[in-house]
Amino acid sequence: MQTRTLGRTGPEVSALGLGAMGMSDLYGPADEAEGLATIHAALDAGINLIDTGDFYGMGHNEMLIGRALRGRDREQVKISVKFGALRDAAGGWHGSDGRPKAVGNFLAYTLRRLDTDYVDIYRLSRIDHDVPIEETIGAIAEQVQAGRVRHIGLSEVGADTIRRAADVHPISDLQIEYSLLSRSIEAEILPTLRELGIGLTAYGVLSRGLLSGRWTADRALTPGDFRGFSPRFQGDNLLANLGLVEALRTIADARSVTVAQVAIAWVLSRGDDIVPLVGARRPDRLAESLGALDLTLTDDDLAAIELAVPAGAAAGERYGAPAMAELDSER
């Protein structure tokens, strides 16, 4: 397995990470046995970075990972956890809690669910606009000193917040959406990360399945799948985005690879400081994603991809208006 280091101060991790969210939440019903098998297949393939959130399935995702890691060498696995999202029993969302006293509370539950005594990377999922980021980072830093957290990360924040956080404590990485269809970070956020020596863990590299090469305009979504109201999956937006995928398919076919592998390889090509997170929920999908590591895109490939899917070509925002308004990274 190829490896990359998350920033100047972060851990060495596999060049691909596994995002576990879909095994518990937001993409409709999931099969626990398939989820466990996928995590085991990832570990066996050399993937050592697993990303979760304490609010995925209201703790279910952390418990699933905890079960999957039983009998494994904990020191060989890097667990990244997002915290702070407030939810209700109906699955609703109610902002984010970044208060210092909440940090220890969230972490205590996470450690119990994961059945571990430390988290490798801990990060606030969405900024709490009522709490200065310095206070939240300071509280996580206290957990670093106590040995319960090894590295501090950030999630979906803009350049100014990155700088303010880094002034309090070294930051290993920023987790943010980055794909052929989501490239806004290239203007200011990515240069800031590189200036400060902070890595990037990229989620949404397949744009929630749009860039998988398998999505169709008539696909029926199951209850609980948030793509049912995601702007890029609606009406004319979807048709336009699927047109971009077909242009990408021509490039993939020429290299005898899949659209998904081209999309992942493109993110990998953007710099050794970037680690894509793949959200596979089944071992076969994971195997396809791993194939991207063997795909080296040539200059001609990259030029063709740029023509097929230029920056800003995606139709529709990546989230609905209320969720977009919460993103510090989009301000």
Side-chain angles (χ1 to χ4, degrees):
M1 172 57 67
Q2 304 166 28
T3 61
R4 296 183 171 189
T5 301
L6 292 179
R8 293 179 189 145
T9 64
E12 183 178 3
V13 299
S14 48
L16 286 182
L18 179 65
M21 180 189 77
M23 299 176 190
S24 300
D25 209 358
L26 298 173
Y27 288 157
D31 185 298
E32 273 201 11
E34 287 275 23
L36 290 169
T38 303
I39 295 171
H40 289 155
L43 295 172
D44 292 343
I47 289 179
N48 73 345
L49 176 62
I50 301 178
D51 180 76
T52 184
D54 62 11
F55 49 92
Y56 293 162
M58 290 38 164
H60 175 272
N61 204 237
E62 290 180 321
M63 290 188 287
L64 184 73
I65 292 169
R67 287 169 54 197
L69 295 183
R70 289 174 188 165
R72 300 276 179 162
D73 184 351
R74 173 67 182 88
E75 285 292 325
Q76 297 303 310
V77 183
K78 310 301 180 188
I79 305 176
S80 167
V81 177
K82 294 180 292 296
F83 73 94
L86 301 175
R87 302 190 67 181
D88 59 35
W93 301 83
H94 303 283
S96 188
D97 189 349
R99 294 173 301 159
K101 67 179 180 180
V103 171
N105 178 76
F106 284 122
L107 180 60
Y109 283 89
T110 281
L111 295 176
R112 177 61 63 90
R113 286 188 291 255
L114 287 170
D115 191 21
T116 186
D117 57 4
Y118 70 94
V119 168
D120 294 277
I121 310 172
Y122 203 50
R123 67 184 89 237
L124 184 65
S125 175
R126 297 289 186 271
I127 197 168
D128 183 342
H129 297 289
D130 294 325
V131 179
I133 191 64
E134 292 86 351
E135 294 184 13
T136 305
I137 296 300
I140 305 175
E142 291 178 2
Q143 300 296 335
V144 173
Q145 294 169 0
R148 301 185 190 98
V149 171
R150 294 198 169 171
H151 303 278
I152 301 179
L154 296 170
S155 173
E156 285 289 357
V157 296
D160 178 64
T161 302
I162 293 168
R163 293 184 186 280
R164 289 167 54 198
D167 282 343
V168 177
H169 189 278
I171 303 297
S172 63
D173 65 307
L174 168 70
Q175 187 175 122
I176 198 166
E177 185 168 355
Y178 188 42
S179 73
L180 278 165
L181 297 184
S182 298
R183 296 176 59 178
S184 62
I185 70 167
E186 293 175 349
E188 185 177 9
I189 292 175
L190 188 54
T192 300
L193 296 177
R194 287 173 170 163
E195 175 192 339
L196 299 177
I198 298 172
L200 171 68
T201 42
Y203 75 88
V205 294
L206 295 183
S207 199
R208 280 104 176 155
L210 270 177
L211 294 173
S212 67
R214 298 185 183 86
W215 204 272
T216 60
D218 58 354
R219 176 168 172 171
L221 294 174
T222 56
D225 192 326
F226 94 101
R227 291 171 292 193
F229 49 85
S230 175
R232 290 183 179 173
F233 289 82
Q234 309 304 311
D236 290 342
N237 283 351
L238 177 59
L239 295 178
N241 291 329
L242 289 178
L244 298 174
V245 174
E246 290 311 304
L248 199 61
R249 193 185 306 278
T250 301
I251 299 166
D253 289 346
R255 292 294 307 268
S256 299
V257 295
T258 69
V259 173
Q261 287 169 337
V262 170
I264 296 168
W266 181 86
V267 177
L268 283 164
S269 77
R270 306 304 283 180
D272 291 340
D273 52 351
I274 298 174
V275 175
L277 300 172
V278 295
R281 300 199 292 174
R282 293 167 18 195
D284 60 330
R285 295 287 188 261
L286 175 68
E288 178 185 15
S289 295
L290 286 167
L293 293 170
D294 298 321
L295 174 60
T296 300
L297 297 173
T298 66
D299 289 342
D300 288 343
D301 290 332
L302 293 171
I305 291 169
E306 192 68 29
L307 287 173
V309 190
E317 298 285 1
R318 54 195 182 105
Y319 291 105
M324 287 294 289
E326 291 295 316
L327 294 179
D328 182 69
S329 55
E330 295 289 343
R331 293 180 173 227

